[in-house]
Amino acid sequence: MSPVYDCRDESQLLSGMRHARQAIGRGELVVLPTDTVYGIAADAFNARAVAGLLEAKGRGRQQPPPVLVPGVGTLRALVADVPAAVDDLVGEFWPGGLTIVLPSQPSLSWDLGDTHGTVAVRMPAQNLTLELLEETGPLAVSSANRTGMPAAVGIDQARDMLGDSVAVYLDAGPSEKGIASTIVDATSLVGGTERRVRVLREGAISRARLREVLGDLLEPDPDVEAGGP
């Protein structure tokens, strides 16, 4: 069975981080903690590793994984442009449970799946994972579960679903929030005709909090669109 390292134990933390870095470098998969739910991670610039991540989850290329980054500087390197409104979102909610979809930098040599020229990026509020990201670079990360199953909020759930498809498991105890990140699509802010941010998935960050930052740039709430009460 693939090893599990309890990263709350200093001696296991050092070994676990070393083995996780080595596994990522070999194109293998690692399960790691985030502030939302546990994630399954691969080197974002290793197409074979990303394909392995999708296979482990039971997904196809039409559901490309988001990318975790250690900071705003890496975001700017991965995307074509960072509009002022996205700067505002990042300033308010990063590190944290907000994933932002933007047009990707066209010069990048990677294959995350059928992204249609976009990338979904998040900076997690989890120090262990941020430290790993500083050493490995951007990681393609999706929730640590088989597609159709609940996202893992503890290491045992992740291991039961993913087994030996993952090389290393990093355990930091139960997830802090246990709710997946909110995903917003801000691509129309980069050269779009209708400048509007869409909510693709509401999770850790509510629409109300997003609207406090974005105002009318956020799409109308669903009940308003439907004309309901």
Side-chain angles (χ1 to χ4, degrees):
M1 289 289 288
S2 300
V4 176
Y5 295 92
D6 186 345
C7 295
R8 294 163 293 186
D9 179 325
E10 187 68 24
S11 62
Q12 291 193 50
L13 169 63
L14 295 175
S15 296
M17 291 290 277
R18 182 177 70 254
H19 288 152
R21 289 193 301 271
Q22 292 170 346
I24 293 294
R26 291 192 299 265
E28 296 173 337
L29 306 179
V30 172
V31 162
L32 43 72
T34 78
D35 50 312
T36 55
V37 295
Y38 273 81
I40 178 173
D43 179 357
F45 290 95
N46 184 326
R48 181 178 59 82
V50 174
L53 184 158
L54 294 174
E55 182 180 355
K57 282 185 63 75
R59 277 188 176 182
R61 288 176 54 82
Q62 71 278 9
Q63 294 176 290
V67 174
L68 294 190
V69 298
V72 179
T74 309
L75 166 70
R76 295 187 186 281
L78 297 182
V79 303
D81 187 31
V82 180
V86 172
D87 264 332
D88 293 340
L89 288 173
V90 165
E92 182 68 25
F93 300 117
W94 279 18
L98 181 66
T99 300
I100 304 171
V101 180
L102 285 165
S104 59
Q105 177 61 250
S107 62
L108 291 176
S109 177
W110 63 1
D111 183 5
L112 297 172
D114 297 336
T115 64
H116 305 289
T118 67
V119 62
V121 188
R122 181 167 92 88
M123 179 186 179
Q126 217 293 341
N127 289 336
L128 182 155
T129 296
L130 288 173
E131 180 181 335
L132 185 63
L133 287 164
E134 288 282 4
E135 297 174 348
T136 63
L139 295 176
V141 179
S142 186
S143 55
N145 59 284
R146 293 284 296 176
T147 297
M149 301 292 288
V153 296
I155 206 70
D156 289 339
Q157 287 176 286
R159 201 179 190 201
D160 287 346
M161 285 185 278
L162 298 170
D164 287 338
S165 65
V166 170
V168 177
Y169 289 83
L170 300 180
D171 182 8
S175 298
E176 180 182 331
K177 291 187 174 68
I179 303 172
S181 69
T182 292
I183 303 176
V184 298
D185 181 354
T187 55
S188 72
L189 301 184
V190 183
T193 55
E194 183 183 1
R195 290 169 51 80
R196 190 61 63 89
V197 176
R198 295 188 301 125
V199 179
L200 303 182
R201 180 181 74 193
E202 188 169 355
I205 307 297
S206 69
R207 282 178 177 266
R209 292 195 65 200
L210 292 172
R211 194 169 300 284
E212 289 174 4
V213 175
L214 293 172
D216 290 341
L217 281 179
L218 183 67
E219 66 180 354
D221 292 340
D223 58 341
V224 173
E225 291 177 330

